Amino acid sequence: MATAADTDAMRRAVALAARGLGSTSPNPVVGCVVTDASGHVVGEGHHERAGGPHAEVHALRQAGVLARGGTAYVTLEPCDHTGRTGPCARALIEAGVARVVYAVADPDPRAAGGAGTLRAAGVQVESGVLEDEAEAGNTAWLTSVRRGRPHVTWKYAATLDGRTAAADGTSRWISSAASRADVHRLRAEADAVVVGSGTLRADDPHLAVRGIDGATQPLRVVVDTRASIAPGARVLDDAAPTLVAVAEDADTAHLPGVDTVRLPAAGRGLDPRALLAELHARGVRSVLLEGGPALAGSFVAAGAVDRVVGYIAPVLLGAGPAALAGGGITTITEALRLDVVATDRFGPDLRITATVPEGA
């Protein structure tokens, strides 16, 4: 049975884990808090980057000899795997920790088994403390392990009557400056940002993160079936890496030096599942989908959207494109019903965050 002290320490570990969002892929985000034998916090840490020390190692280094006889609180089951770093389960044993409390069991068969190793060494092990909170904070990596593809967040901005642009195509700016600043936070937490050729032609977006110190720039991905992107497009500058996804028979002669990938078609565009498989193979574990209604519709139809973040502005247009086109939904019984997990104000706008239920 978890005590109030256990819950407080794990909640701190969850907050520490969030500091690694956007910089640890293809590894998970993990936080760790170490208390001494009397329950005082003596060490904290989080996984900062792939290839670097894990959260437990950072926390144990800070705790030093005070970890002996104490408790380690970890958001993910300590690994029992030697890769670029050593197994954390063994580091905890060597440090003399008497008890380990973790939130989420590791679903990766290559690294799982740490709990068993700890128990075999005489360490008391408990699991499931703040499991839901830790799952939510590590949802991108957990999705990638469980589904074999990146976690996808579809982001859009729309008016109160559901329009993403006016009838003449103009769309800047529907949302407020506060909402647009929050989008850069979403980009900074994602491994890749994806747009379609329609958005590219209409807005010539840059897609790099701005205004966030120390942010790791995500991979910018353009879904461009016919390779219509102009060599001078802003997304092709050197501010961040860029990948252009084209059809198998597209002519890319005008794009020398541009990283391109050829993918099979699906309907009038490219197969979203093939794109996600390619990104997963490149180490991408989280995707921010910023494309227009057609691209969003193709991802929804493919069952490849996990979370929706909509910025709703108190504006009416009366005409213009809707936020979503298609999606494979033709009748109300096929409607994709979401679970709203948060509503927040950004300037005059309302941000609604919703997740797609498991199995939907």
Side-chain angles (χ1 to χ4, degrees):
M1 175 70 74
T3 66
D6 291 338
T7 301
D8 289 344
M10 187 63 77
R11 184 163 286 116
R12 174 59 178 168
V14 170
L16 289 168
R19 297 181 180 181
L21 287 170
S23 62
T24 64
S25 282
N27 294 349
V29 294
V30 182
C32 179
V33 171
V34 174
T35 61
D36 63 16
S38 61
H40 295 100
V41 174
V42 292
E44 294 185 340
H46 70 282
H47 186 38
E48 299 175 5
R49 58 178 178 81
H54 289 186
E56 296 94 322
V57 174
H58 282 299
L60 290 172
R61 285 175 179 171
Q62 189 177 102
V65 297
L66 296 177
R68 186 164 298 278
T71 299
Y73 298 87
V74 196
T75 56
L76 185 67
E77 177 185 0
C79 68
D80 196 29
H81 167 71
T82 300
R84 286 184 283 183
T85 60
C88 291
R90 301 185 190 282
L92 290 163
I93 294 167
E94 291 170 3
V97 169
R99 178 171 173 251
V100 171
V101 180
Y102 67 88
V104 180
D106 193 332
D108 188 344
R110 297 170 300 176
T117 297
L118 289 163
R119 289 190 179 100
V123 178
Q124 180 184 348
V125 179
E126 299 172 31
S127 64
V129 176
L130 294 189
E131 182 175 10
D132 290 345
E133 291 184 28
E135 280 251 0
N138 210 14
T139 187
W141 182 81
L142 290 168
T143 296
S144 73
V145 173
R146 292 166 178 168
R147 300 190 180 185
R149 65 159 175 81
H151 179 275
V152 177
T153 296
W154 169 41
K155 182 280 301 180
Y156 71 93
T159 62
L160 198 56
D161 56 343
R163 308 295 178 175
T164 58
D168 64 356
T170 55
S171 62
R172 294 189 176 182
W173 293 105
I174 285 176
S175 60
S176 66
S179 292
R180 298 196 299 275
D182 190 57
V183 170
H184 283 278
R185 178 191 61 80
L186 291 180
R187 288 179 182 175
E189 293 179 355
D191 297 333
V193 179
V194 178
V195 299
S197 56
T199 297
L200 200 74
R201 288 191 296 271
D203 299 333
D204 190 22
H206 192 225
L207 301 182
V209 177
R210 298 191 303 276
I212 299 179
D213 293 339
T216 300
Q217 291 293 346
L219 174 68
R220 300 176 292 186
V221 181
V222 179
V223 180
D224 188 10
T225 306
R226 304 317 320 165
S228 60
I229 185 171
R234 296 174 68 215
V235 77
L236 295 180
D237 69 8
D238 59 2
T242 301
L243 174 68
V244 181
V246 302
E248 293 169 321
D249 61 348
D251 181 2
T252 59
H254 64 297
L255 299 173
V258 175
D259 188 8
T260 60
V261 59
R262 297 182 181 273
L263 299 176
R268 297 173 59 185
L270 301 180
D271 185 348
R273 285 165 291 204
L275 174 62
L276 291 176
E278 172 66 25
L279 294 177
H280 191 267
R282 291 173 176 243
V284 169
R285 298 295 178 259
S286 58
V287 165
L288 180 62
L289 180 63
E290 292 198 42
L295 185 63
S298 71
F299 272 73
V300 170
V305 172
D306 303 292
R307 181 174 68 158
V308 179
V309 178
Y311 298 86
I312 310 302
V315 176
L316 299 176
L317 282 174
L324 183 68
I329 300 167
T330 58
T331 180
I332 192 66
T333 59
E334 298 172 347
L336 183 56
R337 301 189 183 276
L338 311 178
D339 295 328
V340 174
V341 297
T343 56
D344 303 281
R345 289 289 299 269
F346 284 85
D349 305 334
L350 178 66
R351 185 190 70 186
I352 299 176
T353 304
T355 58
V356 178
E358 195 76 28

